[in-house]
C-alpha cells in the first residue's frame, strides 16, 4: 500500500462532517498513532463517539496526547484549524499549557478526571492573545489493556456570559454611584471608583471636563497610575467634542509605564468618547479609557463603552441639575428669610403707631356720652374697630415671621384645656346669636391638665372659631373637647358652606384661599389657618380637616398628653392666666362687622334726590362710610354683595352702580357680566372700587 493511503477497514471514520473527511485524508503514519487500521479498539471507539457528537469535543491519545477534534470544536480552536489535527497537545495549546498541562498530567498519571467552570484562558487562536472562559472536563480513556490510553475533553464556551455579567455589574455600580452625586466633580470621582471594580474591561480611565465653550478640558478624575496621561493635549479632545464621535489612540509609542489594570501587560490602544452637554449650563468633555490588551475592539466592546460614556454623561448632568436646584432653593430660602425679616420689621413698625392711635381712641370712647358728640362717637367706633382689625393682622404676620425665623418663645404650663377652650368659645356667643346660629360647647371632665402656651392656644381656637363663623349662615357651630387616652382633642365643627375636596390638601398653606368660597366676607389674609398649623406643631400636635361641600367642615386639633414632647426649658409652673379679652374682642369685633345691618334709606318726608346710586360692598364699615359720603347728594341703596346688588338693580333700576371687586357669592366682575347680559340693565354705568394695587388690577 502506498504511503498516506488508508487501509480498507476505516469505517469508524465514516461521516463526521469536515473533520471526518480530514481524518480520512490525513497521513497518520507521520504521527505517533500510525495507520488507522492499526489503532486500538478503544481509540477507534473514542474517535467514533467524537465524530458523531454535536458537543465540542477533542481527544488526545498516547504519551503526546496527539490531537483529534470534531466539527463542533472548530469555533473553539479557531485559526489553529486544520493544522492542529494530529499535533501534540502541548504544541496546539502552548500559550495555555501552564494551566491545562497539569490538568492533563493528572488524568494520564493518576487516571482521574478533572473539571473546571468558567476557567480564564488567554488563547492565541487568531494570531493575538484573546480573553476566553470555558467550562470543561478531562476524562481518562483507557487503552485495550485497561491502562491510560488518552483523554477526552468536553467544552462549553462561557466567554460572552462571563464578560456580559461583568459588564452589567459595572453599569449597575456606575449608575448607583453617580446617581448619588451632588456635584459634577463628585460624579466624575464616583464614576472612576466604579470603573475600579472592573479593571479587565477598563485597565485605566480619565475624565476631562471643559469649564466653558471652547476651553480646553481639564482632568476631573483619573485612575491611579495615570499621572503621565493627564495632559489633555495627549488626546484628540477637540475632534471628539466637535464631532461627537469616538476616536482610537495608539499607545505603543510615546507612552511609558501605562497601568495594566487586571492584565499582565498594558493596553495597546485607548478609546476617547465624547461626554455630551445636556443643557445650556451643563458641561461637556471626553472620557478616555484604556482598552483590554486581550480583546478585540468589536461591536460588543464598543456598545459597552458607549453605555459607559452615556452613564457618565447622565451622572454629570444629574449632579449639575441637583447643584442648580440647590442654588435655586438657597436663593429662595434667602428670599424667604429676607421676606420674613421684612414682615417682622414692618409688623413692628405698624404696631407702634397703631398702639398710639388705638390708645387715645380707647380713652375717648371710654368717656361718658356727654363728652363726645354722637356723630363723632359713631365715626370713632368705626376707626377703633378697623384699627383693632389691622392690629390683629399685624400681630398674625409678626407671629408667623417669628415662627419661620425660629424666634418663637413658647411657655407651656399645666392648663385645664376644656375650660380654657370653653371660655374662648363663649366670646362668640353674642355674635352667633345675632347671626341666628347656635353655638354648642361640649367638654368632658379631664383627668389631668394639658401643657399649653395659653396665648398660642387662644390664637388657635379664636382663628378656628372665626373661620367657622365666617362660612356658617345657618345651623350651628359645635366646639367639643375630649380625652382619647393618650391625647387631648378639640373639634370645631360647623354646618357651613364646606370646602371643595380638591382644596382640602392646601388648607394649611400660607396665603392659600379657596376660589369662589361663599362666606360672610371675602376679606382675609390667607395666613390664619397656616398660623394655626404652625402653632399646633409647636405643641407637638397635629391638625386635620374634613369637609363635605354644602354640609359643613370639621377641624380637629390633637395634642399629646404630658410634657415629655416639649422642650424641658420651656415648661412653667401654673400661674394666674392673663385676660384674653382684648385678643378675643379683636376677633369678635371683626366677625360682627361681617353681619348685615339695617341700611339707611331715604325717609318719605325727605326731598327725593335727582340720581340713585346702588352701592355694593361686603365690609360693613366701608359700606356705611361710602353711603354717608354719597347720601348728601344722591339717593343711596347699600347692599352686601354682588348677588344682592343684581336683585336690587332689577327691582329698582339705579343711575349708577358702585361696587367692590372682592365680595362673596358674586364678585364685582361677575356683577358686571350679569348687568351687561341683562337688556334692562345693560346701559347702567359701573364703577369698581378695590384695595388691589398695580397696573394689572386697573
Amino acid at each position: 500500500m502506498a504511503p498516506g493511503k488508508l487501509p480498507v477497514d476505516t469505517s469508524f471514520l465514516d461521516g463526521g462532517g469536515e473533520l471526518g473527511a480530514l481524518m480520512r485524508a490525513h497521513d497518520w503514519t507521520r504521527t505517533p498513532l500510525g495507520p488507522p487500521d492499526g489503532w486500538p479498539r478503544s481509540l477507534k471507539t473514542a474517535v467514533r463517539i467524537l465524530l458523531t457528537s454535536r458537543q465540542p469535543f477533542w481527544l488526545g491519545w498516547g504519551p503526546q496526547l496527539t490531537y483529534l477534534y470534531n466539527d463542533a470544536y472548530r469555533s473553539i480552536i479557531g485559526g489553529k484549524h486544520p493544522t492542529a489535527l494530529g499535533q501534540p497537545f502541548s504544541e496546539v495549546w502552548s500559550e495555555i499549557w501552564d494551566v491545562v498541562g497539569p490538568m492533563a498530567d493528572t488524568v494520564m498519571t493518576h487516571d482521574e478526571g478533572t473539571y473546571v467552570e468558567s476557567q480564564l484562558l488567554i488563547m492565541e487562536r487568531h494570531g493575538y492573545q484573546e480573553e476566553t472562559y470555558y467550562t470543561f472536563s478531562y476524562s481518562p480513556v483507557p487503552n485495550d489493556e485497561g491502562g491510560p490510553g488518552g483523554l477526552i475533553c468536553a467544552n462549553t464556551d462561557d466567554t460572552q456570559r462571563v464578560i456580559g455579567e461583568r459588564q452589567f455589574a459595572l453599569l449597575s455600580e456606575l449608575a448607583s454611584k453617580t446617581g448619588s452625586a451632588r456635584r459634577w466633580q463628585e460624579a466624575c470621582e464616583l464614576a472612576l471608583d466604579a470603573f475600579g471594580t472592573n479593571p479587565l474591561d477598563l485597565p485605566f480611565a480619565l475624565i476631562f471636563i471643559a469649564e466653558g465653550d471652547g476651553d480646553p478640558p481639564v482632568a476631573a478624575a483619573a485612575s491611579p497610575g495615570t499621572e503621565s496621561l493627564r495632559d489633555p493635549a495627549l488626546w484628540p479632545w477637540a475632534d471628539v467634542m466637535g464631532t461627537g464621535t469616538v476616536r482610537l489612540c495608539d499607545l505603543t509609542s510615546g507612552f511609558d509605564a501605562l497601568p495594566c489594570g487586571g492584565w499582565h501587560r498594558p493596553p495597546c490602544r485607548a478609546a476617547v468618547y465624547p461626554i455630551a452637554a445636556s443643557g445650556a449650563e451643563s458641561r461637556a468633555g471626553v472620557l478616555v479609557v484604556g482598552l483590554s490588551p486581550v480583546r478585540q475592539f468589536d461591536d460588543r466592546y464598543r456598545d459597552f463603552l458607549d453605555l459607559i460614556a452615556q452613564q457618565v454623561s447622565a451622572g454629570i448632568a444629574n449632579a449639575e441639575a441637583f447643584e442648580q436646584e440647590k442654588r435655586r432653593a438657597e436663593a429662595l430660602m434667602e428670599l424667604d428669610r429676607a421676606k420674613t425679616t421684612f414682615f417682622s420689621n414692618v409688623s413692628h413698625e405698624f404696631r407702634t403707631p397703631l398702639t398710639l392711635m388705638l390708645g387715645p381712641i380707647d380713652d375717648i370712647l371710654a368717656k361718658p356720652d356727654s363728652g363726645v358728640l354722637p356723630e363723632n362717637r359713631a365715626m370713632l367706633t368705626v376707626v377703633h374697630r378697623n384699627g383693632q382689625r389691622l392690629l390683629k393682622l399685624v400681630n398674625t404676620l409678626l407671629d408667623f415671621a417669628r415662627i419661620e425665623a425660629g424666634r418663637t418663645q413658647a411657655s407651656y404650663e399645666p392648663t385645664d384645656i376644656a375650660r380654657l377652650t370653653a371660655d374662648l368659645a363663649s366670646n362668640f356667643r353674642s355674635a352667633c346669636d345675632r347671626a341666628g346660629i347656635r353655638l354648642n360647647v361640649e367638654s368632658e371632665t379631664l383627668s389631668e391638665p394639658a401643657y399649653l402656651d395659653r396665648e398660642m392656644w387662644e390664637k388657635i381656637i379664636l382663628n378656628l372659631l372665626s373661620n367657622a363663623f365666617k362660612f356658617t349662615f345657618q345651623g350651628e357651630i359645635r366646639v367639643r373637647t375630649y380625652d382619647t387616652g393618650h391625647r387631648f382633642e378639640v373639634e370645631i365643627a360647623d354646618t357651613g358652606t364646606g370646602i371643595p375636596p380638591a382644596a382640602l390638601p392646601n388648607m394649611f398653606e400660607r396665603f392659600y384661599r379657596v376660589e369662589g368660597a361663599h362666606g360672610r366676607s371675602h376679606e382675609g389674609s390667607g395666613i390664619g389657618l397656616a398660623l394655626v398649623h404652625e402653632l399646633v406643631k409647636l405643641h407637638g400636635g397635629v391638625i386635620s380637616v374634613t369637609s363635605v361641600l354644602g354640609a359643613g367642615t370639621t377641624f380637629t386639633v390633637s395634642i399629646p398628653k404630658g410634657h415629655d414632647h416639649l422642650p424641658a426649658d420651656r415648661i412653667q409652673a401654673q400661674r394666674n392666666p392673663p385676660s384674653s379679652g382684648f385678643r378675643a374682642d379683636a376677633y369678635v369685633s371683626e366677625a360682627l362687622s361681617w353681619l348685615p345691618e339695617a341700611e339707611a334709606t331715604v325717609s318719605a318726608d325727605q326731598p327725593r334726590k335727582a340720581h340713585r346710586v346702588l352701592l355694593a360692598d361686603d365690609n360693613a364699615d366701608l359700606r356705611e362710610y361710602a353711603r354717608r359720603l354719597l347720601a348728601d347728594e344722591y339717593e343711596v341703596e347699600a347692599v352686601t354683595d354682588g348677588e344682592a346688588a343684581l336683585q336690587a338693580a332689577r327691582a329698582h333700576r339705579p343711575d349708577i352702580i358702585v361696587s367692590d371687586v372682592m365680595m362673596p357669592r358674586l364678585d364685582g366682575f361677575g356683577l358686571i357680566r350679569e348687568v351687561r347680559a341683562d337688556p334692562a340693565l345693560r346701559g347702567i354705568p359701573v364703577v369698581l372700587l378695590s384695595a388691589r394695587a398695580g397696573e394689572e388690577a386697573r
Side-chain angles (χ1 to χ4, degrees):
M1 183 180 296
K5 296 297 182 181
L6 288 176
V8 177
D9 186 17
T10 57
S11 59
F12 69 92
L13 294 176
D14 288 350
E18 179 187 353
L19 264 299
L22 287 173
M23 287 185 189
R24 291 191 295 272
H26 194 73
D27 184 3
W28 293 103
T29 62
R30 296 175 180 269
T31 71
L33 301 185
D37 60 344
W39 288 0
R41 180 172 296 278
S42 56
L43 175 57
K44 292 179 180 180
T45 301
V47 170
R48 190 63 191 160
I49 293 172
L50 178 81
L51 290 176
T52 57
S53 175
R54 295 186 179 183
Q55 171 76 20
F57 272 108
W58 69 268
L59 172 68
W61 192 264
Q64 295 184 5
L65 295 175
T66 302
Y67 218 69
L68 300 96
Y69 54 95
N70 60 6
D71 277 2
Y73 190 76
R74 282 178 304 174
S75 62
I76 295 175
I77 202 165
K80 295 177 183 288
H81 172 74
T83 58
L85 187 64
Q87 300 299 313
F89 179 29
S90 59
E91 293 182 13
V92 174
W93 292 116
S94 59
E95 70 270 21
I96 58 172
W97 188 249
D98 60 327
V99 177
V100 298
M103 297 170 63
D105 184 63
T106 298
V107 174
M108 299 302 292
T109 304
H110 302 287
D111 197 25
E112 295 178 1
T114 63
Y115 174 80
V116 291
E117 290 187 358
S118 303
Q119 175 66 49
L120 170 62
L121 299 172
I122 305 299
M123 295 178 169
E124 295 181 10
R125 302 180 295 184
H126 303 285
Y128 58 87
Q129 290 189 333
E130 183 180 1
E131 174 190 10
T132 66
Y133 295 89
Y134 286 96
T135 294
F136 59 92
S137 62
Y138 289 169
S139 301
V141 180
N143 57 25
D144 291 351
E145 292 76 32
L151 65 82
I152 192 167
C153 175
N155 295 265
T156 300
D157 188 347
D158 295 330
T159 303
Q160 296 306 324
R161 178 184 63 80
V162 171
I163 293 176
E165 289 176 355
R166 183 177 75 208
Q167 292 177 346
F168 180 78
L170 172 56
L171 287 168
S172 298
E173 179 75 4
L174 180 60
S176 175
K177 281 185 174 291
T178 56
S180 64
R182 295 296 178 259
R183 297 177 298 106
W184 68 267
Q185 297 92 335
E186 183 184 9
C188 295
E189 294 165 0
L190 291 173
L192 265 294
D193 288 344
F195 294 165
T197 64
N198 185 355
L200 299 178
D201 290 311
L202 302 172
F204 69 80
L206 304 99
I207 298 175
F208 294 90
I209 298 295
E211 292 288 348
D213 291 341
D215 294 339
V218 296
S223 299
T226 57
E227 287 77 9
S228 61
L229 307 177
R230 299 180 186 182
D231 182 356
L234 297 172
W235 313 104
W237 61 268
D239 183 28
V240 171
M241 292 175 65
T243 63
T245 55
V246 183
R247 293 288 182 267
L248 296 181
C249 298
D250 184 6
L251 303 179
T252 56
S253 61
F255 295 91
D256 298 324
L258 292 172
C260 297
W263 303 112
H264 61 285
R265 61 188 179 89
C268 300
R269 292 188 300 174
V272 184
Y273 275 81
I275 296 176
S278 62
E281 299 182 12
S282 55
R283 293 170 173 79
V286 294
L287 167 66
V288 179
V289 292
L291 300 178
S292 169
V294 290
R295 283 191 66 194
Q296 288 292 96
F297 191 57
D298 55 14
D299 289 343
R300 290 183 176 179
Y301 202 176
R302 182 187 296 270
D303 290 345
F304 164 67
L305 294 179
D306 283 343
L307 292 174
I308 289 289
Q310 290 170 19
Q311 186 59 55
V312 171
S313 297
I316 293 173
N318 290 339
E320 288 184 309
F322 181 86
E323 285 187 273
Q324 293 167 10
E325 189 61 32
K326 182 182 177 183
R327 286 195 292 270
R328 283 194 290 268
E330 288 174 347
L332 288 174
M333 287 176 63
E334 184 59 35
L335 184 62
D336 203 46
R337 283 192 292 268
K339 178 195 65 181
T340 299
T341 302
F342 170 77
F343 277 150
S344 181
N345 292 340
V346 166
S347 298
H348 275 294
E349 291 299 318
F350 282 167
R351 288 179 80 181
T352 300
L354 277 171
T355 302
L356 292 174
M357 287 190 292
L358 286 172
I361 293 173
D362 283 334
D363 293 341
I364 294 172
L365 292 176
K367 292 180 179 180
D369 290 346
S370 59
V372 182
L373 294 175
E375 59 270 26
N376 291 341
R377 178 174 293 275
M379 289 188 289
L380 285 173
T381 301
V382 171
V383 172
H384 183 265
R385 182 164 56 242
N386 284 277
Q388 280 189 316
R389 180 181 167 215
L390 183 56
L391 184 59
K392 170 178 166 284
L393 175 60
V394 168
N395 286 334
T396 301
L397 286 171
L398 186 57
D399 287 337
F400 211 92
R402 283 172 174 165
I403 290 172
E404 287 201 324
R407 296 198 301 266
T408 301
Q409 297 295 319
S411 180
Y412 306 97
E413 59 182 285
T415 306
D416 185 337
I417 186 174
R419 180 178 176 183
L420 175 60
T421 303
D423 288 346
L424 292 168
S426 67
N427 287 283
F428 275 81
R429 190 166 299 281
S430 62
C432 289
D433 290 343
R434 287 182 57 181
I437 57 178
R438 296 183 303 277
L439 175 63
N440 294 326
V441 181
E442 307 170 11
S443 59
E444 300 177 356
T445 301
L446 305 178
S447 59
E448 61 180 280
Y451 280 80
L452 305 176
D453 180 297
R454 294 181 61 93
E455 185 175 339
M456 290 183 182
W457 190 254
E458 290 168 4
K459 291 172 183 174
I460 292 170
I461 300 302
L462 292 172
N463 265 292
L464 292 177
L465 282 168
S466 176
N467 193 73
F469 183 83
K470 184 175 184 179
F471 295 99
T472 303
F473 293 87
Q474 58 186 6
E476 68 173 3
I477 297 173
R478 188 182 73 255
V479 181
R480 188 164 76 97
T481 306
Y482 55 95
D483 184 338
T484 66
H486 298 288
R487 306 177 75 87
F488 295 116
E489 293 197 348
V490 176
E491 281 184 3
I492 297 181
D494 63 60
T495 57
T497 55
I499 301 168
L504 286 173
N506 307 313
M507 291 308 297
F508 302 110
E509 293 180 4
R510 285 181 298 173
F511 312 120
Y512 180 79
R513 302 182 68 181
V514 179
E515 290 293 332
H518 174 37
R520 296 184 183 277
S521 170
H522 200 29
E523 296 171 339
S525 62
I527 61 173
L529 290 177
L531 176 63
V532 167
H533 180 257
E534 295 300 324
L535 294 176
V536 171
K537 281 173 59 179
L538 288 173
H539 284 80
V542 292
I543 181 170
S544 60
V545 57
T546 59
S547 185
V548 177
L549 192 61
T553 302
T554 300
F555 285 91
T556 303
V557 178
S558 176
I559 63 170
K561 288 185 175 182
H563 56 74
D564 292 342
H565 58 285
L566 301 171
D569 61 336
R570 307 309 304 172
I571 305 299
Q572 306 292 333
Q574 190 167 17
R575 55 191 170 87
N576 292 325
S579 171
S580 62
F582 175 76
R583 282 186 293 273
D585 185 56
Y587 286 89
V588 174
S589 176
E590 182 177 18
L592 287 171
S593 72
W594 299 332
L595 296 176
E597 298 175 355
E599 304 295 346
T601 57
V602 180
S603 63
D605 58 350
Q606 287 180 315
R608 184 173 179 82
K609 306 294 194 305
H611 299 287
R612 184 169 182 274
V613 176
L614 176 60
L615 172 66
D617 197 303
D618 62 325
N619 184 293
D621 289 331
L622 187 57
R623 187 169 62 244
E624 176 59 18
Y625 178 69
R627 190 199 65 76
R628 282 203 312 270
L629 289 178
L630 298 170
D632 288 343
E633 297 188 25
Y634 305 100
E635 178 185 344
V636 180
E637 182 177 2
V639 295
T640 57
D641 57 47
E643 189 69 35
L646 188 61
Q647 295 173 8
R650 286 169 175 165
H652 190 180
R653 191 179 192 277
D655 294 296
I656 189 170
I657 297 174
V658 179
S659 172
D660 187 15
V661 172
M662 299 176 68
M663 296 182 295
R665 295 206 295 173
L666 186 66
D667 64 11
F669 297 123
L671 175 60
I672 290 178
R673 284 194 299 271
E674 294 296 328
V675 167
R676 296 293 178 252
D678 189 331
L681 306 177
R682 185 175 297 160
I684 300 175
V686 180
V687 175
L688 288 182
L689 303 177
S690 179
R692 286 183 174 181
E695 194 67 27
E696 74 286 352
R698 187 163 64 179

